Amino acid sequence: MTDLTGLTEQSDLIDRYDPLDPETLKDPYPTYEALRALGGPVWSDRLDSWVLTSYEHCKRVLLDHENFAADWRRAGETVPDVSLSVHTFDPPEHTGIYGVLAHSLMEMASDGLAKRARAEIAARLDALPAGPVNLVTEFTEPLARWFIPQALGLPEFELDVIRPIAAAITQAMDGGLVPSARKPGVEAQGKLADLIETWVEELEPGAPLRELVDRATEAGIPRAATMNSLRTLVVNGFTAVPASLGNALHALARDPRILKEQLGDPVTLDRAPHEFFRFEAPIQGTTRLAVRDTELAGVQVLRGQGVLMMFAAANRDPAHFTEPDRIDLGRWPNHHLTFGYGAHACSGSILAHMLLREVLTVLLERGAVLRLAEPATYKKLATVRTLEILPLEITF
């Protein structure tokens, strides 16, 4: 007789898995551990995808552009033109725009920008009211929304205009769970791309972002693709960048020894953001579609089926990371998957890394003490893991 116990347990676990469940939002890692213990990809009807939680399997899919597509058109899906960007193209089409973005962002992430960021961070910390405050609304989100325009050379965000657009795009990242969010997200993408077009046209020749667009044009990259790709950088100011700041500060408040005992030298300060990105990934995962029927880790994936790579689970895989549930700022090399891997590694991670490094630098230089006043709460989002309330007190 065939033993169906394992199959039953697997089915029950994946059927119960709901990324938007309040308990999962509070702490998804026990669920990720249980899914990873099943040993391979698991099919979820709720997510309409194979779910991958091991580091090895996620990395394999990220590197296999022949069989698994970021560009869903290759698997027979229709993708709105406004959604085509550096994140949705595959090599070789992807290579040109990614190279231009990465090169330009490395130039933008200058010592001058780092110095301005440190001064802004110090000023915003000094302006915090006494006692516990919600650091999300009082520090991390405002800082990120100041920093991204500074880095890209854009005018200061008009938040009344940008905030609802960014919110719609962020909600659409959960379109597989909330289908009603898809259409508003596509419409918001178009609005933001149009805004960026206006901003770029108003820039003086020689401005960093204007030069980025000119380089892309010279490389033969369609202007629409460039604008759409710049849109993803702007949205980072409302998603991954503030999320990574809040998640790191939350971790420091829960264990003050990290700041006192693990930080100190410039090398560790530069590496530390990667460990915070690994430990609490601001982007929980992303999906590829199978281009053709293919075998993956013992299961048959059919053309057009989704493969959801849970980066946050892979980043806690003990088969790849020693003591994965512990923050170790000396962990190096640290090949986490938070911002992807290989050709599709997110170029915006350059800016997220810089800002978190400068926040840590200022906190360390000023001998900051972080105290969590009460438990933090997370926004009801599946793709972006970001805090809604971080009741924190910072003293010097």
Side-chain angles (χ1 to χ4, degrees), residues 27-161:
D27 183 6
Y29 298 102
T31 300
Y32 293 158
E33 183 178 5
L35 288 170
R36 194 169 52 241
L38 297 174
V42 182
W43 177 259
S44 168
D45 287 328
R46 183 196 299 271
L47 303 175
D48 193 28
S49 291
W50 292 97
V51 179
L52 276 60
T53 49
S54 85
Y55 184 94
E56 177 188 353
H57 298 158
C58 289
K59 183 178 175 182
R60 174 179 164 183
V61 171
L62 285 170
L63 295 178
D64 188 354
H65 309 297
E66 294 298 320
N67 290 307
F68 300 100
D71 186 344
W72 289 14
R73 296 173 299 176
R74 295 175 54 216
E77 294 287 324
T78 300
V79 179
D81 289 345
V82 73
S83 299
L84 297 174
S85 72
V86 66
H87 291 308
T88 56
F89 292 135
D90 282 318
E93 191 177 12
H94 166 275
T95 306
I97 183 65
Y98 181 83
V100 169
L101 280 175
H103 176 73
S104 296
L105 286 170
M106 289 181 70
E107 287 185 341
M108 293 175 187
S110 63
D111 290 341
L113 177 60
K115 184 177 180 180
R116 295 200 307 276
R118 287 195 297 275
E120 185 71 17
I121 292 161
R124 288 178 180 270
L125 288 173
D126 287 339
L128 290 176
V133 296
N134 180 6
L135 226 62
V136 173
T137 56
E138 298 297 322
F139 181 70
T140 58
E141 287 186 350
L143 177 63
R145 291 163 192 178
W146 168 86
F147 178 72
I148 293 298
Q150 284 283 318
L152 300 180
L154 289 173
E156 184 178 343
F157 287 153
E158 295 181 36
L159 291 181
D160 289 345
V161 176

Side-chain angles (χ1 to χ4, degrees), residues 45-339:
D45 287 328
R46 183 196 299 271
L47 303 175
D48 193 28
S49 291
W50 292 97
V51 179
L52 276 60
T53 49
S54 85
Y55 184 94
E56 177 188 353
H57 298 158
C58 289
K59 183 178 175 182
R60 174 179 164 183
V61 171
L62 285 170
L63 295 178
D64 188 354
H65 309 297
E66 294 298 320
N67 290 307
F68 300 100
D71 186 344
W72 289 14
R73 296 173 299 176
R74 295 175 54 216
E77 294 287 324
T78 300
V79 179
D81 289 345
V82 73
S83 299
L84 297 174
S85 72
V86 66
H87 291 308
T88 56
F89 292 135
D90 282 318
E93 191 177 12
H94 166 275
T95 306
I97 183 65
Y98 181 83
V100 169
L101 280 175
H103 176 73
S104 296
L105 286 170
M106 289 181 70
E107 287 185 341
M108 293 175 187
S110 63
D111 290 341
L113 177 60
K115 184 177 180 180
R116 295 200 307 276
R118 287 195 297 275
E120 185 71 17
I121 292 161
R124 288 178 180 270
L125 288 173
D126 287 339
L128 290 176
V133 296
N134 180 6
L135 226 62
V136 173
T137 56
E138 298 297 322
F139 181 70
T140 58
E141 287 186 350
L143 177 63
R145 291 163 192 178
W146 168 86
F147 178 72
I148 293 298
Q150 284 283 318
L152 300 180
L154 289 173
E156 184 178 343
F157 287 153
E158 295 181 36
L159 291 181
D160 289 345
V161 176
I162 302 297
R163 187 183 285 114
I165 292 175
I169 293 172
T170 305
Q171 290 286 351
M173 294 178 185
D174 293 345
L177 289 165
V178 188
S180 61
R182 291 173 179 167
K183 183 179 178 181
V186 170
E187 292 172 351
Q189 288 175 339
K191 290 178 183 178
L192 186 51
D194 289 343
L195 273 175
I196 294 171
E197 182 74 64
T198 301
W199 293 337
V200 170
E201 285 300 315
E202 293 175 351
L203 292 174
E204 296 291 331
L209 200 63
R210 187 72 176 268
E211 288 193 348
L212 188 160
V213 174
D214 291 343
R215 285 174 182 163
T217 301
E218 292 169 3
I221 297 162
R223 191 175 182 89
T226 303
M227 293 299 113
N228 293 344
S229 298
L230 292 178
R231 181 197 70 231
T232 67
L233 296 177
V234 171
V235 171
N236 272 336
F238 295 81
T239 54
V241 173
S244 61
L245 293 177
N247 293 344
L249 293 174
H250 189 204
L252 290 174
R254 285 179 292 176
D255 188 353
R257 294 172 301 175
I258 297 171
L259 191 59
K260 290 182 178 180
E261 299 175 7
Q262 293 195 40
L263 280 174
D265 62 281
V267 172
T268 304
L269 273 168
D270 195 56
R271 293 175 175 178
H274 290 287
E275 178 66 350
F276 286 112
F277 296 154
R278 180 201 69 82
F279 183 76
E280 190 84 89
I283 305 300
Q284 295 284 281
T286 193
T287 300
R288 297 286 188 264
L289 291 192
V291 176
R292 58 182 64 85
D293 294 356
T294 187
E295 184 274 335
L296 173 64
V299 302
Q300 186 71 9
V301 181
L302 304 180
R303 171 178 165 80
Q305 286 186 333
V307 178
L308 173 59
M309 297 164 289
M310 299 301 299
F311 296 155
N315 286 345
R316 298 280 191 104
D317 187 347
H320 189 80
F321 296 99
T322 303
E323 295 186 83
D325 295 323
R326 183 177 72 87
I327 292 177
D328 178 6
L329 300 186
R331 194 186 301 274
W332 201 258
N334 194 339
H335 299 305
H336 59 83
L337 302 182
T338 296
F339 295 105

